[in-house]
Amino acid sequence: MDIVGLEMGESEVMYRILLYSDSAQRDLLPNSTLKVYLEKLLPDSIVLMSSFDVVEPVLHGFRPHLVILNHLKGRRGLDVARWTKNQDGLVALNFTEGRPNTVGQMKWLTDFPSELCDLCLCRNKEVQNNLPPSVNSAVVGFPRLPFYIEPLSR
């Protein structure tokens, strides 16, 4: 079965939205919360959460209209964003890491290829004010809710 037709036919799906996570302990809870919210907001859409461990099968099988990433750092996130943009899809950022406590950390968080980002969900005005001017953004609060289980090396 094609992953696009999970529960409904292709013609019935309004949007296919993909939430990528690269850390179960950090990203699972905020992305789950966002998934539930998006499913209520857009009931005719399919919202899928995935790990970076299965990038290609999910991207090519699901063909998302919108991909939500936690940052645009590193090859995996940049590759996903480029592929999505090449398919005429949208890319949003929902920062779940890189809490800026210093000027250097703020620069790390907000220094990304702005042409790959259609919307940046910011935790506060300070982050929003440090984004490149061309980036659409909205202040939505703090999405990071880490939880850990023993042993911490898991």
Side-chain angles (χ1 to χ4, degrees), residues 17-62:
I17 301 168
L18 180 57
L19 296 163
Y20 264 117
S21 298
D22 66 358
S23 170
Q25 289 81 15
R26 181 189 60 238
D27 300 337
L28 186 62
L29 192 55
N31 279 349
S32 298
T33 303
L34 186 54
K35 181 181 188 314
V36 169
Y37 175 77
L38 288 170
E39 287 172 338
K40 288 180 181 178
L41 183 68
L42 303 165
D44 295 335
S45 298
I46 297 175
V47 183
L48 181 68
M49 288 176 43
S50 184
S51 163
F52 275 112
D53 298 324
V54 289
V55 169
E56 288 196 27
V58 172
L59 277 179
H60 294 263
F62 189 58

Side-chain angles (χ1 to χ4, degrees), residues 36 116 118:
V36 169
L116 295 178
D118 296 292

